[in-house]
Amino acid sequence: MSTVRANFQVAPLSRVLMIVEVALPILLLVLGIYHGFVQTLYRAGIIQSSSFAGLGYYQGLTLHGVINAVVLTTFFGVAFGNAVMQYYLRQPLFPTVHLLSTGLMGIGTLIAAVPMLLGLADVLYTFYPPLKAHPAFYIGATLLVVGSWIAFFGWIPLIRRWMREHPGQPIPLAVLGMLTAFIIWFACTIPLAIEVLFMLIPWSLGWIDTINIPLARTLFWFFGHPLVYFWLLPTYVVYYVMLPKEAGGKLYSAPAARLVFLLFLVLSIPVGLHHQYTEPGFERFWKGLHALLTFGVAIPSFITAFTVAASLEHAGVQRGATGLFGWIWKLPWFDANRPIVAYSLAGLLIFILGGLTGLVNASYNLNQTIHNTGFISGHFHMTVGGPVFLIILGLSLELFSQLTGKPVRGRGWNIAVPYLWALGLYIFSPAMMIGGLLGQPRRTNMGLSYLDPSSPHFRLDWVVTSYIAAIGGAIMFLAFLIYVGVWIATIAAPAEKPAGLLYLSTAESLHSDVPTTSIMAKLRPWLAIAVLLIIVSYWAPLRQAMRTPENAPPYAPDNPTPAIQVKK
Amino acid sequence: MERIALMLASGLLGLFFLALLAAARLQGINVPPCLPPEVKPFSEGRVDTLPDGRRQVFYVARMWRFEPEVVEVPVGKPIDVFLSAADVTHGLYVSWTNVNLMAIPGAVNAYTFRLEKPGVYPIICHEYCGSAHQNMVAYLVAK
Ligand code: HEM
Ligand SMILES: [Cu+2]
Ligand SMILES: [Cu+2]
């Protein structure tokens, strides 16, 4: 992997489609992030109302979750995957496949957006039945997912061809990372598809009266935890492949990076029951097994922490650092021409707390104190809202700049964004987490009850943390506004380079890469273990969920009587 | 180097896991159990006192209240809670305790605990259950 790589010229159609893939979610984010900030105001009792500026609290929260955590991450996964495949495999994408995939994703997003904006889908981004949304919500989401599958299917022949033409070489690390991300995504969206296609859509259309709720939830979380690795792995690819180079060094160990991706493949799916510790109907043994496996899937993240730190240390030493911690100060934290470094380092600082609090959530009985409290939202804003979000912001702008040939304008402002975001987050998230430990529920418009001094349910002990969370939220909102300003300045600037020249900086490995004969250069054995673990860990819980004595009819979120007449 | 780091990380995680198993076994801090499928969901809340004086509370969670709403319980004595959802999914979280349960339509949840200090404990619905979710509160009075 030591060859210096040239730019890759993206074909005209793919260029336009990729611009849509990065720009559309950023546009939607304006609404998504705005409502994040407004949520902190409701939750502090600064807004005491069921809606504000035309959006209901739960309507806006649905948009916040769907846009930020589903639309943005899926579009970016596909856009970055498209960039990685073209750049490292040095082949163009299939134009029709690309058009179909991006088209379905875009149309699906629009179809799902309509009921959300009309207030016909106030079911939050987890859409737990028996709350029911308008069928268009589920159908749009399905098209979005299918579009992302098609992008993935289109990469497989390119990878195969590269392998045929490069015998004796392991596939490029970035390709392996994106491939594992999408294998995980494809595998885990199958249970989701079963829930949505065979349960929710027919039920929301009134074709079936009732569905099995524990089963639907189990299928959802079968998908829901691997989903977070689909969010995380593109970020890890950037940390392993681009960051060490941009920081001025090498990747400490490519074999360790490969091992990390393969371990995620094996361990990221059989862990979903850790979202259901507090639910009835599963024997404790299975909850415990999922807890154990969840601890297992923490190992690749520990290796990542180690490898990334070692790579950064190497970079610092290359830059003349001495002493045990001297390398930290030698890194180009504030180099406006290396925004990836700023976006990565700020994300890594956030991830320290995000990762550790994740272990708390995973800890079986410890989860009893924090499940569904503000602790959980505090935690995941330091993962998906931290490193993942910052890498998405940083790279979306970079890709947009390369695809249009327009240089990024406001470079100094650009690198201020991640640090300001990290500052806001280090205020917002701990406040949410301490609030959670004091018992604040998540997913709650607290301004109408707990944070309203005239309500009988007023909780004085929750006031301080809710206000601090709002201050943190305001700083994060400000960081995002600056980011939008950088985008606008960049769009307004004239192109200075030919459009569509892709360039991804690529670090060499300090330790030599694995030989192709090694088990770490193969995929099949790992896939086999993954399938085995999934069967072992999910067979019994799914059967236990299927034993549920009663099914449930659908409900609209604002009406306590069922949306259909159930024949008894 | 990589190997040492890997072993250290795995060892630490193993230790954590043992600690939480120990807490489950020795201190009895556990997740809710699985009731046999014969236990059918119920639609009326009630409070029972067993012959030996043990208090059992049967909560029904519905949009947007708990039934029964205010319950008196003895300080320091074991209390069994059973929880059923009458319509959509709800949550039941007794403030300042480990009592944290999901109310899932179709299945019955259960937990046993003690309140060691006298006082009023708000019970919060902590799963979104529709437009008036934020008003869904009940109280336990420990005397
Ligand atoms: C200005 C920045 C942001 C602020 C102030 C903010 C604030 C919040 C708050 C207060 C909640 C909890 C609401 C409740 O449970 O009642 C929340 C939920 C959530 N946020 Fe954010 N957020 C921000 C950005 C983000 C970003 C960048 C992401 C992801 C990339 C994100 C993902 C989520 C998700 C998935 C939820 C859970 C929604 C649910 O429970 O249904 N947020 N946010
Ligand atoms: Cu999870
Ligand atoms: Cu509720």
Side-chain angles (χ1 to χ4, degrees), chain B residues 30-94:
Chain B
N30 214 324
V31 299
C34 178
L35 298 181
E38 299 83 75
V39 182
K40 295 274 185 291
F42 44 91
S43 57
E44 265 164 49
R46 65 174 199 277
V47 184
D48 281 358
T49 307
L50 298 186
D52 62 357
R54 189 170 173 127
R55 204 60 61 88
Q56 297 198 313
V57 190
F58 292 77
Y59 279 111
V60 174
R62 50 164 48 103
M63 291 157 104
W64 292 278
R65 65 202 149 84
F66 290 102
E67 242 180 57
E69 201 179 312
V70 180
V71 176
E72 251 186 50
V73 291
V75 171
K77 299 267 168 58
I79 305 155
D80 300 321
V81 162
F82 297 91
L83 176 63
S84 194
D87 36 49
V88 300
T89 308
H90 302 268
L92 182 152
Y93 184 40
V94 182

Side-chain angles (χ1 to χ4, degrees), chain A residues 58 122-124 128-131 213-214 217 252-253 256 259 277-284 287-288 291-292 295 298-299 302-303 306 359 363-365 367-373 436-439 441-446 448-450 456-457 459 461-462 511 544 547-550 552 555-560, chain B residues 1-2 5-6 9-10 12-14 16-17 19-25 29-41 63-64 69 86-89 91 93 95-111 122-139:
Chain A
Y58 299 109
D122 295 354
V123 292
L124 308 190
Y128 291 143
L131 285 174
I213 302 304
R217 293 176 69 86
Y252 182 71
S253 164
L259 180 64
Y277 289 148
T278 60
E279 287 180 27
F282 305 106
E283 280 158 18
R284 279 175 174 157
K287 294 179 179 174
L292 181 66
F295 275 52
I299 291 175
F302 271 102
I303 305 179
F306 172 81
L359 271 184
S363 297
Y364 190 69
N365 33 14
N367 179 64
Q368 287 295 120
T369 44
I370 48 148
H371 173 74
N372 262 1
T373 68
L437 292 174
L438 296 171
R442 66 182 281 208
R443 317 187 120 174
T444 305
N445 181 357
M446 300 202 300
L448 283 179
S449 52
Y450 308 116
H457 306 310
R459 290 288 295 263
D461 55 335
W462 292 351
H511 296 188
Q544 289 164 11
R547 281 196 320 224
T548 307
E550 282 175 19
Y555 288 82
D558 55 359
N559 192 344
Chain B
M1 246 334 247
E2 292 104 311
L6 185 61
S10 319
L12 196 64
L13 286 169
F16 287 167
F17 193 74
L20 59 90
L21 282 189
R25 289 274 149 168
I29 307 172
N30 214 324
V31 299
C34 178
L35 298 181
E38 299 83 75
V39 182
K40 295 274 185 291
M63 291 157 104
W64 292 278
E69 201 179 312
D87 36 49
V88 300
T89 308
Y93 184 40
S95 293
W96 315 303
T97 71
N98 286 334
V99 186
N100 188 331
L101 300 170
M102 296 298 291
I104 307 287
V108 179
N109 212 346
Y111 208 71
I123 298 178
I124 312 282
C125 174
H126 68 8
E127 181 56 270
Y128 171 65
C129 57
S131 49
H133 157 60
Q134 63 280 343
N135 300 329
M136 193 165 155
V137 189
Y139 291 92

